[in-house]
Amino acid sequence: MRAGAAQLQRGGLARPRFAVAARRARDVRASASAAPADVAARAGPLGDGATRTAAFHLACPICQTTAFDVPASPAPYQPLTCGRCSRTFETGGASYLDLTLTSGAPQRVYKQRGAQSTELFRQPLISFVYERGWRQNFAGAGFPGPEREYEMAMRYLAPTLGGTLVDASCGTGLFTRLFARSGRFAGVVALDYSETMLRQAQAYFKEDPVLATDSSAPIVCVRADIARLPFATASVDAIHAGAAIHCWPNPQAALAEVSRVLRPGGVFVASTFLTPFAPLGEIVGDDAVRPISQALNPFSGAGGTIKYWDEGELIDLVNSVGLTDYRRDRSRMFVMFAATKPGGE
């Protein structure tokens, strides 16, 4: 725990950049406010050199080469069309843009069904109870609580302040709201695969008086698959995934996408559950308890709803997709870790 806390202090090294980041955020917001009111969603080839006035830059999830520019206040959301793929991606009413692969596709027979963990969080009841009791139970595993987790994440994210943050697997927007309220990002993308989670998130956004002020960052809600992100390569400043990766059906494919879309110097921050043997591992070492954990841990994630992680697995996962500078804070079964896309300043 002490080692993790010491590693967190690295965030202080980026403090001299706060002023630059703040200016960048103001410039982006000013540009967004100057955008023509009728700009709903311009599409064009990425890297075409066109002047962009929209706050959010998304991409076709199929070809990943057609850009979708979405304004800061898309009310209501407009369908997005990719001419290259001859596809129009629909919206979930006023709640979200749907950039999943099957969005808007006429499907008479084929019906995609996700993993058990994915389908669980698409249930309206789960979305309703998530902030009304479900999330609070994480404290028993050592999660310090949303406010403290947000503070920890912001230390890791310090080098990216002023850029665009993707809150991946955002759920009901618990952390999306905190990031947007801070005003330290040019914009926040609330991204999830669950339609019901995004609708619940929108309800919370509308109830939050701070999010209606100029001091907060704009939010766009996007339905997407974490393993097929609708962003151009090297176009995202930071990605956060709070209490999520234990539910991802294919974490390695998802982390490869995270690595692809991050800019050089971009940061990925995530929190998750460690195995029930992690507290013992903190005392005697993870290597010593790993054989017992692998033999006796019933929460392996194979065919189940969630995967409880060995920290060594997380390190291997990060390294395998080309992210570097792994650092973390850990307590009992809770871990928050961060990694960086190499090539930045």
Side-chain angles (χ1 to χ4, degrees):
M1 181 69 178
R2 286 192 297 271
Q7 288 165 326
L8 275 175
Q9 297 306 314
R10 296 182 187 180
L13 297 176
R15 286 178 184 170
R17 301 180 63 183
F18 282 5
V20 175
R23 286 197 299 272
R24 181 181 173 191
R26 286 196 298 271
D27 292 345
V28 172
R29 278 196 288 271
S31 175
S33 64
D38 59 350
V39 175
R42 289 190 293 109
L46 292 169
D48 59 5
T51 301
R52 294 183 172 185
T53 56
F56 296 99
H57 307 302
L58 309 175
C60 170
I62 300 173
C63 65
Q64 297 178 330
T65 58
T66 296
F68 297 137
D69 288 352
V70 179
S73 301
Y77 291 103
Q78 301 295 322
L80 303 172
T81 299
C82 174
R84 185 177 187 276
C85 298
S86 300
R87 283 288 309 282
T88 295
F89 298 93
E90 301 296 340
T91 70
S95 296
Y96 56 86
L97 291 165
D98 193 338
L99 290 178
T100 55
L101 293 175
T102 55
S103 170
Q107 292 179 276
R108 187 175 61 86
V109 178
Y110 175 71
K111 301 294 181 184
Q112 179 171 314
R113 183 172 178 82
Q116 184 178 350
S117 57
T118 302
E119 296 303 313
L120 174 66
F121 290 98
R122 296 176 72 186
Q123 303 303 312
L125 178 61
I126 302 301
S127 301
F128 179 80
V129 303
Y130 188 78
E131 289 190 42
R132 298 176 174 92
W134 182 293
R135 191 36 163 87
Q136 288 81 344
N137 288 327
F138 291 10
F143 278 68
E147 292 290 345
R148 175 60 182 145
E149 292 165 45
Y150 159 76
E151 293 171 359
M152 294 164 60
M154 287 295 281
R155 292 182 186 177
Y156 287 129
L157 293 167
T160 70
L161 297 184
T164 298
L165 169 71
V166 177
D167 189 18
S169 295
C170 67
T172 57
L174 178 61
F175 289 100
T176 306
R177 301 195 298 272
L178 294 172
F179 291 130
R181 285 177 198 156
S182 75
R184 291 188 169 188
F185 297 96
V188 182
V189 180
L191 184 144
D192 205 288
Y193 189 78
S194 168
E195 309 93 321
T196 60
M197 285 289 189
L198 290 170
R199 292 190 186 103
Q200 181 64 76
Q202 276 286 16
Y204 283 134
F205 296 158
K206 292 176 182 177
E207 294 171 1
D208 192 319
V210 178
L211 297 183
T213 66
D214 291 337
S215 62
S216 66
I219 299 171
V220 64
C221 290
V222 177
R223 181 173 182 246
D225 186 341
I226 189 64
R228 192 71 181 180
L229 291 172
F231 304 102
T233 298
S235 66
V236 173
D237 298 288
I239 298 177
H240 169 266
I245 71 169
H246 46 273
C247 297
W248 291 355
N250 190 334
Q252 192 160 36
L255 263 291
E257 274 292 88
V258 166
S259 181
R260 179 185 69 81
V261 305
L262 280 177
R263 300 181 192 277
V267 176
F268 173 62
V269 180
S271 61
T272 189
F273 289 91
L274 297 174
T275 74
F277 297 89
L280 179 60
E282 281 195 279
I283 300 171
V284 302
D286 288 334
D287 290 343
V289 303
R290 185 169 295 117
I292 304 173
S293 176
Q294 292 176 340
L296 300 181
N297 177 20
F299 305 106
S300 64
T305 355
I306 62 172
K307 173 178 174 54
Y308 285 23
W309 292 90
D310 179 310
E311 190 180 2
E313 293 179 302
L314 295 174
I315 295 171
D316 286 348
L317 191 63
V318 163
N319 292 338
S320 72
V321 299
L323 298 178
T324 61
D325 193 24
Y326 174 93
R327 58 267 191 208
R328 53 79 167 167
D329 194 17
R330 170 176 165 177
S331 177
R332 294 158 59 196
M333 290 173 63
F334 164 80
V335 65
M336 178 177 287
F337 67 95
T340 300
K341 183 69 176 181
E345 295 179 5

